[in-house]
Amino acid sequence: FRGEALSSLCALSVLTVSTSTGGSHPGDLVAYTSNGVIKSKSPTPMHKGTTVQISSLFEGMPVRRSEFVKNIKREYSKCIGLIQAYALIVPNVRISCLLQMDKK
């Protein structure tokens, strides 16, 4: 992810990044505030790689969230298409996407 994308994701959601280079050093779990500043950083056990987790998408923007939920199938399809395009051009990388909707 580029810095601009991470900053935008922080403004729209709760963002955490877990990353590890493998070896004897444990991974790092970094949580960000809504304005992109590191809120906390702690060691976390994990294999080599990076995980970006986005939750509570549009939680602070009720109008945008309701539009997103109303069009969730279309938005999810667009997201999956983009992820598949990246997966095709980047060898030896595992990319996964999980959709979990909170019942509200």
Side-chain angles (χ1 to χ4, degrees), residues 58 67-68 71-86 97 99:
F58 301 125
E67 281 296 311
F68 177 71
N71 299 308
I72 192 70
K73 287 183 181 179
R74 181 174 48 118
E75 297 297 334
Y76 187 69
S77 293
K78 287 169 33 178
C79 182
I80 291 299
L82 182 63
I83 290 171
Q84 287 173 336
Y86 277 112
C97 179
L99 174 65

Side-chain angles (χ1 to χ4, degrees), residues 12-14 54-60 65 102 104:
L12 300 174
S13 64
V14 175
I54 301 166
S55 58
S56 302
L57 188 60
F58 301 125
E59 197 69 32
R65 180 168 173 78
D102 295 331
K104 286 191 175 187

Side-chain angles (χ1 to χ4, degrees), residues 1-17 32-36 52-59 61:
F1 282 99
R2 294 177 31 198
E4 300 87 19
L6 286 176
S7 178
S8 296
L9 289 173
C10 288
L12 300 174
S13 64
V14 175
L15 176 72
T16 58
V17 177
Y32 293 89
T33 64
S34 61
N35 56 359
V52 178
Q53 182 174 346
I54 301 166
S55 58
S56 302
L57 188 60
F58 301 125
E59 197 69 32
M61 303 172 176

